[in-house]
Amino acid sequence: GDKVSTVRKGMEELNNLVLKLVDIIMQLAPFGVYGLIGKTFATLGYTAMLPLLKYFIGVIIVLLLHYLITYQSLLIFVAKYNPIKFLKKFSGPMMVAFSTSSSSATLPSSMETMQDEFGVSKTISSFTLPLGSTINMDGTAIMQGVATIFIAQIYGVNLTMGDFVTVIITATLASIGTAGVPGVGVIMLGMVLQQVGLPLEGMALVMGIDRFVDMFRTTVNITGDAVCTLIVARTEGELKGEEVAASVKKNKLA
Ligand code: ASP
């Protein structure tokens, strides 16, 4: 309240400052990505390009399958929501996630879309979305799994069935610990590599193209949060069709 207005104002200003810094970094990011990729190919040569391309395509295929199979069936069978309508309404936050590679930076856009377009109440969306953007990183877990197998192949290490189980468990845990900002997923990959005895230097192999992979996995991460939000809204009786969504919107405006 008023008693601590200076502290509150200080916090708000600090928040503005951080947002501005993120903004500046985002503008510089393309040059940084160019530098990182340039370094990867300058040191590894063109021979690195084909395996890296295979890794990139591998991650994209698994992310796509996750979206098409897991999310779409959750939408259809649990949230009882038309996936095409979902995609149309949620494309805005997806584009924000794709361009910023940050679940946290996408949070305001997701919250607004969930409340205004889908008619989910603030009570639900302000709980599920921030929680999801902090701990639900399934796209990141997928990348870490594929990257571990790619690095094992490059180093000629054969992973056993037990190693695969370890990768699944540690990638899930590492993704929960990943912050919703660009590039953290690849740092947390170190944890997974260590668990199966792979050299940490392997991270450098995928780091050069990680910015591109990050764009796709962040989009999957925030889409998962939105699907879960819809499921919660449905089970709480908030989504009874489009009319309900509209009436909630009216109430909110009133
Ligand atoms: N950029 C991802 C996110 O914000 C995290 C990561 O995998 O690096 O969701």
Side-chain angles (χ1 to χ4, degrees):
D2 287 344
K3 282 187 191 154
V4 286
S5 63
T6 322
V7 177
R8 204 183 52 210
K9 206 157 174 273
M11 289 292 189
E12 278 167 9
E13 281 171 5
L14 202 64
N15 190 34
N16 288 338
L17 210 63
V18 172
L19 285 181
K20 185 68 200 165
L21 277 176
V22 171
D23 213 42
I24 296 171
I25 293 168
M26 286 306 162
Q27 279 170 11
L28 283 176
F31 301 104
V33 173
Y34 177 79
L36 270 176
I37 293 178
K39 189 168 172 251
T40 305
F41 291 120
T43 34
L44 296 175
Y46 283 111
T47 41
M49 224 179 231
L50 195 67
L52 271 181
L53 193 70
K54 275 193 200 158
Y55 157 73
F56 179 70
I57 295 174
V59 179
I60 305 296
I61 291 177
V62 187
L63 288 176
L64 198 69
L65 287 178
H66 188 54
Y67 173 76
L68 291 176
I69 300 173
T70 321
Y71 290 166
Q72 301 246 3
S73 30
L74 282 173
L75 273 175
I76 297 169
F77 299 112
V78 189
K80 307 210 170 25
Y81 209 94
N82 183 337
I84 312 273
K85 267 190 197 157
F86 171 82
L87 194 63
K88 269 193 197 150
K89 289 184 182 177
F90 201 64
S91 58
M94 284 167 107
M95 290 316 287
V96 177
F98 190 75
S99 49
T100 62
S101 293
S102 167
S103 296
S104 302
T106 313
L107 190 56
S109 162
S110 303
M111 297 257 272
E112 199 182 290
T113 308
M114 274 304 168
Q115 288 168 20
D116 295 349
E117 302 289 331
F118 290 85
V120 175
S121 70
K122 201 171 172 203
T123 323
I124 289 179
S125 60
S126 65
F127 174 69
T128 55
L129 290 173
L131 185 71
S133 76
T134 318
I135 64 167
N136 173 44
M137 305 269 173
D138 30 9
T140 302
I142 286 171
M143 175 281 286
Q144 288 166 342
V146 180
T148 306
I149 291 167
F150 166 73
I151 292 165
Q153 283 175 354
I154 295 278
Y155 282 94
V157 176
N158 277 327
L159 295 177
T160 61
M161 213 49 200
D163 287 335
F164 283 122
V165 176
T166 311
V167 170
I168 292 171
I169 296 172
T170 44
T172 308
L173 291 176
S175 71
I176 291 174
T178 301
V181 286
V184 180
V186 79
I187 310 278
M188 297 300 281
L189 172 65
M191 200 175 118
V192 188
L193 295 181
Q194 257 178 340
Q195 288 302 316
V196 286
L198 286 169
L200 281 182
E201 298 81 72
M203 272 159 63
L205 286 172
V206 290
M207 229 169 223
I209 58 158
D210 190 62
R211 178 64 197 202
F212 294 121
V213 181
D214 204 357
M215 295 162 99
F216 291 92
R217 67 172 183 259
T218 308
T219 310
V220 168
N221 288 346
I222 61 116
T223 308
D225 305 339
V227 171
C228 287
T229 302
L230 280 184
I231 292 174
V232 176
R234 171 71 70 198
T235 51
E236 290 300 307
E238 272 189 12
L239 299 177
K240 293 199 189 82
E242 295 303 305
E243 317 80 54
V244 175
S247 74
V248 173
K249 201 167 149 184
K250 244 186 264 156
N251 285 344
K252 202 175 146 256
L253 287 178

Coordinates of all heavy atoms in Angstrom, one line a residue, residues 2 11 15 31 57 148 188 205:
D2 N 0.2 2.4 0.5 CA 0.9 3.7 0.4 C 2.1 3.7 1.3 O 3.0 4.5 1.0 CB -0.1 4.8 0.9 CG -1.2 5.0 -0.2 OD1 -0.9 4.6 -1.3 OD2 -2.2 5.6 0.1
M11 N 10.6 -0.9 -7.4 CA 10.4 -2.3 -8.0 C 9.9 -2.1 -9.5 O 10.4 -2.8 -10.4 CB 9.4 -3.1 -7.3 CG 9.9 -3.6 -5.9 SD 11.3 -4.7 -6.2 CE 11.5 -5.3 -4.5
N15 N 11.8 -3.1 -12.9 CA 11.1 -4.0 -13.9 C 11.2 -3.3 -15.3 O 11.5 -4.0 -16.2 CB 9.7 -4.2 -13.4 CG 9.0 -5.2 -14.3 OD1 9.6 -6.2 -14.7 ND2 7.7 -5.1 -14.5
F31 N 22.8 -10.4 -34.5 CA 24.3 -10.3 -34.7 C 25.0 -11.4 -33.9 O 26.0 -12.0 -34.4 CB 24.8 -8.9 -34.4 CG 24.1 -7.8 -35.2 CD1 23.1 -7.0 -34.6 CD2 24.4 -7.6 -36.5 CE1 22.4 -6.1 -35.3 CE2 23.7 -6.7 -37.2 CZ 22.7 -5.9 -36.6
I57 N 16.8 -30.8 -37.9 CA 15.5 -31.3 -38.5 C 14.9 -32.3 -37.5 O 13.7 -32.4 -37.3 CB 15.8 -32.0 -39.9 CG1 16.2 -30.8 -40.9 CG2 14.6 -32.7 -40.4 CD1 16.7 -31.3 -42.2
T148 N 21.3 -34.9 -26.7 CA 22.2 -35.9 -26.0 C 22.5 -37.0 -27.0 O 23.6 -37.5 -27.1 CB 21.5 -36.4 -24.8 OG1 21.1 -35.3 -24.0 CG2 22.4 -37.3 -24.0
M188 N 21.4 -26.1 -19.5 CA 21.0 -27.1 -18.6 C 21.2 -28.5 -19.3 O 21.2 -29.5 -18.6 CB 19.5 -27.0 -18.4 CG 19.1 -25.7 -17.6 SD 19.9 -25.6 -16.0 CE 18.9 -26.6 -15.0
L205 N 28.9 -28.0 -29.6 CA 28.5 -28.4 -30.9 C 27.1 -27.8 -31.3 O 26.9 -27.4 -32.4 CB 28.4 -29.9 -31.0 CG 29.7 -30.7 -31.0 CD1 29.4 -32.2 -30.9 CD2 30.4 -30.4 -32.4

